[in-house]
Amino acid sequence: MKTQPQQDLAASMIAYWTAFARTGDPNHAGAPRWAAGTAHGRLQLVPNQIRPVDAAAEHQCGFWSTIR
């Protein structure tokens, strides 16, 4: 059985996908903005914590940009 935070997350994800299918833009009223085309164009989607995230910085991926 899903917890309430899990159900809320599922509803939020459905709303993002529905908005994207309808308009080509996942953003919709009442939700954190999903920025396109940037390193910050990612959202962390976990129960009770939908937020923009810089995945490369959070996962310390700077190392890979130093390899040639």
Side-chain angles (χ1 to χ4, degrees):
M1 180 175 210
K2 290 182 183 175
T3 65
Q4 188 60 48
Q6 290 170 325
Q7 291 177 17
D8 294 343
L9 175 60
S12 295
M13 293 174 68
I14 290 168
Y16 277 117
W17 281 108
T18 301
F20 181 73
R22 185 182 313 116
T23 67
D25 182 353
N27 295 299
H28 57 281
R33 179 146 181 80
W34 196 322
T38 68
H40 301 284
R42 294 170 181 85
L43 287 182
Q44 177 175 318
L45 300 167
V46 295
N48 293 326
Q49 191 178 8
I50 297 177
R51 65 181 179 90
V53 64
D54 182 340
E58 269 200 27
H59 296 282
Q60 302 171 359
C61 295
F63 165 77
W64 297 108
S65 65
T66 65
I67 297 176
R68 299 200 189 268

